Amino acid sequence: MAVPKRKMSRSNTRHRRAQWRASAPTLVPVTVEGSTYLVPQRLRKAYERGLLRPEG
């Protein structure tokens, strides 16, 4: 495991932590039983195959 050689300042620590952001998933249209839904791109095939049911 990597171990820091020196103490990192509070300013640098907070600046580094502030860079991380979770991004919203990309939504794509999927037609299930005649209705169109927006679902995350990585789950598209599961909805098309009927493994997941769209809510709404």
Side-chain angles (χ1 to χ4, degrees), residues 35-49:
S35 299
T36 303
Y37 301 95
L38 288 176
V39 298
Q41 184 176 1
R42 56 180 296 217
L43 297 176
R44 181 178 54 88
K45 285 190 178 183
Y47 281 100
E48 289 174 351
R49 294 176 182 166

Side-chain angles (χ1 to χ4, degrees), residues 7 9 11-12 21 23 28 47-49:
K7 183 176 180 177
S9 70
S11 175
N12 284 343
R21 294 283 186 273
S23 58
V28 294
Y47 281 100
E48 289 174 351
R49 294 176 182 166

Side-chain angles (χ1 to χ4, degrees), residues 23-36:
S23 58
T26 305
L27 299 179
V28 294
V30 172
T31 304
V32 178
E33 298 176 359
S35 299
T36 303

Side-chain angles (χ1 to χ4, degrees), residues 2-20:
V3 178
K5 209 161 199 176
R6 299 181 189 277
K7 183 176 180 177
M8 186 178 247
S9 70
R10 177 181 287 181
S11 175
N12 284 343
T13 299
R14 290 181 177 169
H15 183 73
R16 186 189 75 246
R17 288 179 181 168
Q19 300 302 312
W20 185 86

